[in-house]
Amino acid sequence: LDNLDATTFVANVVRELEKRNVTVLWDAMPKSRQRDIEKIVAEFAKRIDPKSFDMLRKTRNTVLEIARKQQKFVMDSTVLQIPPDVKPSLNGAYPYLIDFVDALVAKELFDPKRLQSGDMRGVVDNWSKSLNVSIEKLASTLPEGDPGRAALLASKIDYAMELKSSDMAIVTLKTNAGLASLVPSAQDMTIELVKFEGRWIPKPMIEGWESTLGQTLAAINTIKGEQVHQQLSGFLFLLNAPLQTLKNAKSQEEFDK
């Protein structure tokens, strides 16, 4: 809702994020910022040749197919050198890990018509729900008490908020133990929120926003779709041969080579 006090607004967002409802971050933005982001995405999708999106989508699918088909070769690869003590647990979680990557790099991101539709909320919502399903399946492969499982399924967001004025607040997101175990360098994050169009949003989305928006759209307008397609075609053509070799490898030696 518009014009909530900072404490209530942030509490609402945190409550939804604890349910892993990432779509709330989109819903929390003012309508003007939603329209700006949709315009950037749509303009970019228009400038890129649909054939380029198709090629990227096919390459994505090929990589995932290789990962699924060649699990044994991946796990036993002398090139990747997966530590022996990690192999048993990773081997069991492997299919779910690939499913997670599949959901993370969603096919929708390579659909120009979808990106041009002006329904970024729908894109974000579908992506979020699919990702959550894969996260839950991946977490289920880890034993109870495992820090990684706790980090994946963590529902509690520890934060502190300081009101600076009637239209400014500071939110500090605390690093939880599960994340710290996975990413030792993880630190608390501080976000300065400013009230704008009835919503509390990060300060960078206000200061210099119009200038950044203009520069971004100007840069997008310089993109030559056919030129990008030619360069991408050349790169993916070179990449295709080793990908097909990995896909069709019949031995560990052939795969590693």
Side-chain angles (χ1 to χ4, degrees):
L1 299 174
D2 291 335
N3 298 314
L4 295 174
D5 61 86
T7 302
T8 304
F9 187 90
V10 171
N12 286 349
V13 172
V14 168
R15 183 189 65 241
E16 292 303 311
L17 287 177
E18 287 181 338
K19 300 175 186 176
R20 297 198 303 279
N21 173 20
V22 179
T23 312
V24 72
L25 296 176
W26 178 266
D27 292 338
M29 285 191 289
K31 296 294 184 183
S32 65
R33 294 301 182 256
Q34 293 177 355
R35 288 193 296 268
D36 288 343
I37 293 173
E38 285 178 335
K39 184 175 182 179
I40 289 172
V41 173
E43 289 299 317
F44 176 78
K46 287 177 184 176
R47 300 291 297 189
I48 301 298
D49 193 315
K51 291 180 291 187
S52 296
F53 279 106
D54 188 49
M55 291 173 62
L56 287 169
R57 185 172 58 253
K58 288 179 178 177
T59 302
R60 165 202 178 276
N61 293 343
T62 298
V63 171
L64 289 170
E65 183 183 357
I66 293 168
R68 288 191 171 100
K69 178 183 178 181
Q70 306 289 40
Q71 176 177 344
K72 184 179 185 305
F73 292 158
V74 170
M75 296 300 300
D76 294 340
S77 174
T78 58
V79 178
L80 299 176
Q81 295 184 340
I82 298 174
D85 58 325
V86 174
K87 278 188 180 182
S89 58
L90 182 57
N91 211 29
Y94 185 93
Y96 302 100
L97 184 60
I98 303 306
D99 286 346
F100 170 77
V101 175
D102 192 348
L104 182 65
V105 190
K107 287 185 286 187
E108 281 188 316
L109 301 178
F110 303 93
D111 183 349
K113 290 183 179 179
R114 189 78 171 90
L115 297 178
Q116 293 175 45
S117 68
D119 179 26
M120 280 306 298
R121 186 191 189 280
V123 172
V124 172
D125 197 44
N126 289 341
W127 174 81
S128 173
K129 290 174 180 176
S130 176
L131 194 62
N132 280 335
V133 170
S134 66
I135 286 174
E136 289 170 4
K137 289 181 178 179
L138 177 59
S140 69
T141 67
L142 301 173
E144 292 285 350
D146 187 289
R149 181 187 178 110
L152 288 169
L153 295 178
S155 59
K156 178 65 177 174
I157 297 176
D158 189 12
Y159 73 97
M161 192 169 73
E162 179 184 0
L163 293 174
K164 290 293 187 179
S165 68
S166 60
D167 60 359
M168 184 179 296
I170 302 293
V171 174
T172 302
L173 299 174
K174 306 293 183 66
T175 302
N176 63 52
L179 179 61
S181 69
L182 292 176
V183 187
S185 60
Q187 298 178 342
D188 293 352
M189 179 188 300
T190 299
I191 305 170
E192 186 173 354
L193 299 179
V194 179
K195 193 173 185 180
F196 178 77
E197 295 182 5
R199 304 295 178 95
W200 292 85
I201 63 175
K203 193 174 181 180
M205 293 193 72
I206 299 175
E207 290 188 347
W209 177 264
E210 296 300 330
S211 174
T212 301
L213 175 64
Q215 292 172 7
T216 302
L217 291 173
I220 289 173
N221 286 332
T222 65
I223 296 174
K224 294 180 173 58
E226 188 57 38
Q227 182 178 343
V228 171
H229 179 66
Q230 290 175 358
Q231 293 173 342
L232 187 62
S233 296
F235 172 72
L236 294 181
F237 177 77
L238 293 174
L239 187 62
N240 184 63
L243 286 179
Q244 292 304 316
T245 301
L246 287 169
K247 178 181 174 180
N248 298 318
K250 303 300 183 185
S251 68
Q252 187 71 56
E253 182 182 6
E254 185 180 0
F255 185 86
D256 287 349
K257 183 179 178 180

